[in-house]
């Protein structure tokens, strides 16, 4: 436990550590994607993820990919996968985001210098994945509306602090919701939740419910999502910067932005921070784009914890889609749309989002 911390502690980068992360670890190529706003791609996120799911396959040897936001002096979107899968994904992007500009790169992380600091955290669901991050038709659904306006400012930093928000995904079969000896399958858990009779789990996963309209809605979504295409998912954030305090503060600010996805069904996204050499160990997983999973015993006792449906992916990673209202981000030029940064090639930490009437008058 000495390698964990309530808010993390940055690790100083030495020449050996930089060499290991940048040169000694095999890492997939990454594709920088800038879909143009005047194509059908702004509503193509769900189809893109479904196609990626089918392309990578759900068998034991199914592929892994990552979707990443890179915040340096500019905001960019990166997709990584093994070379043969990346080529297929590039074709899929061409079909969903016609005329998009794509470039391939080999460097696994933003440039880092000896003497700079690195800090890493993971964001995990508190409960097993049969309890969704949100559910459909609910009042105040945190994946509904505009996720950019509340989360983008938390990812933007000054003082040469660079941030990557990474979601690694691996398609898993429709049996992901089998919850082991304590809970049974998703239908049993959903039915018990609906009836107000559910009491399962150990330690932090123990949960009790009461009969209510809220839990009836939750039960319906539990039953619906077991048929959805789903990725075993690991969410990581990594920050690199020249100042120790700036790096630590930037990571905490970004990680805590996931609290907006907390919901009444008690499913929460919680960051786990690291310190000392554990930051480097976690950074190695960032470079490899590795999906973490529970041990067989853990899955037997507690079920699958880090499975996320395509709809959850769309909202958590801000993939342009039709399920939630995503504003018109002009990815190619970083031009503004409602509720997102206005025309600029450099984002500011004190970003003033939105183009309301007062803003429009001030600019006229």
């Amino acid at each position: 436990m000495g390698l964990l911390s309530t808010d993390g502690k940055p690790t100083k980068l030495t020449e050996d550590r930089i060499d290991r992360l940048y040169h000694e670890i095999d890492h997939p190529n990454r594709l920088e994607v800038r879909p143009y706003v005047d194509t059908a791609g702004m509503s193509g996120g769900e189809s893109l993820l479904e196609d990626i799911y089918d392309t990578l396959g759900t068998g034991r040897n199914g592929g892994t990919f990552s979707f990443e936001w890179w915040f340096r002096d500019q905001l960019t979107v990166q997709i990584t996968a093994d070379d043969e899968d990346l080529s297929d994904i590039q074709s899929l992007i061409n079909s969903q985001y016609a005329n998009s500009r794509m470039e391939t790169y080999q460097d696994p992380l933003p440039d880092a210098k000896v003497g700079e600091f690195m800090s890493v955290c993971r964001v995990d669901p508190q409960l097993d994945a049969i309890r969704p991050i949100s559910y459909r038709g609910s009042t105040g659904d945190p994946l509904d509306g505009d996720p950019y306006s509340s989360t983008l400012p938390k990812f933007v930093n000054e003082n040469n602090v660079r941030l990557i928000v990474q979601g690694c995904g691996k398609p898993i079969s429709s049996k992901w919701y089998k919850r082991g000896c304590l809970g049974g399958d998703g239908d049993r858990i959903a039915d018990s939740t609906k009836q107000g009779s559910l009491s399962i789990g150990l330690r932090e996963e123990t949960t009790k419910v009461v009969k209510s309209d809220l839990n009836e809605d939750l039960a319906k979504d539990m039953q619906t999502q077991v048929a959805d295409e789903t990725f075993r998912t690991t969410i990581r954030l990594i920050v690199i910067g020249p100042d120790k305090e700036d790096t630590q503060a930037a990571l905490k600010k970004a990680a805590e932005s996931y609290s907006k996805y907390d919901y009444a069904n008690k499913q929460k996204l919680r960051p786990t921070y690291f310190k000392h050499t554990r930051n480097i160990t976690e950074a190695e997983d960032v470079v490899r784009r590795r999906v973490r999973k529970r041990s067989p015993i853990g899955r037997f006792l507690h079920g699958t914890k880090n499975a996320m449906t395509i709809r959850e992916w769309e909202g958590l990673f801000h993939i342009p889609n039709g399920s939630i209202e995503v504003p018109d981000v002009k990815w190619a030029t970083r031009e503004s749309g409602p509720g997102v940064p206005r025309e600029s090639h450099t984002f500011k930490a004190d970003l003033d989002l939105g183009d309301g009437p007062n803003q429009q008058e001030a600019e006229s």
Side-chain angles (χ1 to χ4, degrees):
M1 294 298 292
L3 297 177
L4 302 180
S5 175
T6 56
D7 56 0
K9 283 189 176 181
T11 299
K12 195 168 187 178
L13 291 172
T14 62
E15 186 172 352
D16 289 344
R17 287 170 174 169
I18 290 176
D19 283 344
R20 174 152 184 78
L21 292 174
Y22 284 81
H23 306 298
E24 297 177 15
I25 298 176
D26 289 335
H27 58 271
N29 287 330
R30 58 184 178 85
L31 184 69
E32 183 175 297
V33 186
R34 300 181 186 177
Y36 294 126
V37 72
D38 57 353
T39 72
M42 291 307 290
S43 60
E46 182 175 2
S47 296
L48 174 63
L49 287 171
E50 287 175 350
D51 288 341
I52 289 176
Y53 180 93
D54 293 336
T55 297
L56 298 180
T58 58
R60 179 171 295 180
N61 297 320
T64 300
F65 83 108
S66 73
F67 187 92
E68 304 173 8
W69 288 84
W70 285 40
F71 293 84
R72 294 170 288 185
D73 57 334
Q74 295 182 350
L75 163 66
T76 57
V77 175
Q78 320 286 334
I79 295 180
T80 66
D82 292 337
D83 287 347
E84 58 183 21
D85 292 330
L86 193 64
S87 177
D88 290 336
I89 290 173
Q90 186 166 356
S91 298
L92 296 176
I93 293 171
N94 274 325
S95 67
Q96 294 295 334
Y97 301 93
N99 301 317
S100 297
R101 186 163 79 83
M102 290 180 280
E103 298 180 27
T104 56
Y105 297 88
Q106 292 186 329
D107 51 306
L109 298 171
D111 291 338
K113 300 179 179 64
V114 173
E116 289 193 312
F117 294 89
M118 171 182 289
S119 198
V120 186
C121 78
R122 287 201 313 269
V123 178
D124 298 304
Q126 180 182 5
L127 304 173
D128 62 89
I130 192 60
R131 299 184 72 86
I133 294 171
S134 67
Y135 52 90
R136 300 169 179 81
S138 304
T139 302
D141 184 341
L143 298 189
D144 194 17
D146 171 18
Y148 291 88
S149 61
S150 59
T151 55
L152 263 185
K154 304 297 191 301
F155 296 158
V156 178
N157 296 285
E158 296 178 325
N159 302 326
N160 199 28
V161 173
R162 290 87 76 194
L163 166 70
I164 295 178
V165 180
Q166 178 189 84
C168 290
K170 180 181 177 67
I172 54 178
S173 72
S174 60
K175 295 181 180 180
W176 65 269
Y177 60 89
K178 299 294 184 181
R179 200 187 181 278
C181 65
L182 292 180
D185 63 24
D187 287 334
R188 205 284 291 176
I189 296 174
D191 187 61
S192 298
T193 299
K194 185 176 181 180
Q195 299 302 321
S197 60
L198 179 66
S199 180
I200 58 175
L202 296 173
R203 295 185 296 275
E204 80 277 9
E205 292 185 307
T206 299
T207 179
K208 296 181 180 180
V209 301
V210 295
K211 187 175 178 59
S212 66
D213 291 342
L214 188 73
N215 283 321
E216 286 191 11
D217 289 342
L218 174 60
K220 291 176 184 177
D221 197 62
M222 283 182 179
Q223 292 172 316
T224 300
Q225 76 166 350
V226 299
D228 290 348
E229 293 92 341
T230 304
F231 296 101
R232 181 178 291 119
T233 301
T234 301
I235 303 173
R236 301 183 185 91
L237 286 73
I238 180 169
V239 177
I240 301 172
D243 182 82
K244 182 177 181 180
E245 285 72 24
D246 286 348
T247 303
Q248 185 172 10
L251 182 68
K252 188 172 183 180
K253 178 180 68 171
E256 289 182 349
S257 73
Y258 282 91
S259 64
K260 80 181 290 287
Y261 300 107
D262 288 2
Y263 203 67
N265 65 23
K266 307 304 181 185
Q267 177 68 292
K268 299 178 183 295
L269 290 173
R270 296 285 179 83
T272 299
Y273 300 98
F274 307 102
K275 59 183 181 179
H276 306 312
T277 56
R278 182 65 180 270
N279 275 318
I280 301 300
T281 302
E282 293 295 321
E284 291 174 0
D285 281 352
V286 173
V287 170
R288 291 186 175 99
R289 276 64 186 180
R290 176 180 292 172
V291 175
R292 183 179 293 268
K293 64 179 181 179
R294 276 181 169 165
S295 67
I297 293 177
R299 292 196 299 275
F300 177 71
L301 291 175
H302 305 292
T304 301
K305 185 175 182 179
N306 61 341
M308 295 186 184
T309 64
I310 282 179
R311 184 172 183 271
E312 290 172 331
W313 259 79
E314 287 179 332
L316 290 173
F317 302 109
H318 311 300
I319 296 174
N321 67 85
S323 299
I324 59 177
E325 298 175 11
V326 177
D328 292 339
V329 182
K330 295 188 178 180
W331 302 63
T333 59
R334 282 77 162 180
E335 291 176 2
S336 65
V340 297
R342 289 179 296 281
E343 296 180 12
S344 172
H345 287 270
T346 302
F347 292 113
K348 302 294 185 182
D350 58 351
L351 205 56
D352 179 19
L353 298 173
D355 292 323
N358 293 336
Q359 180 66 40
Q360 293 173 353
E361 291 173 6
E363 293 178 347
S364 61

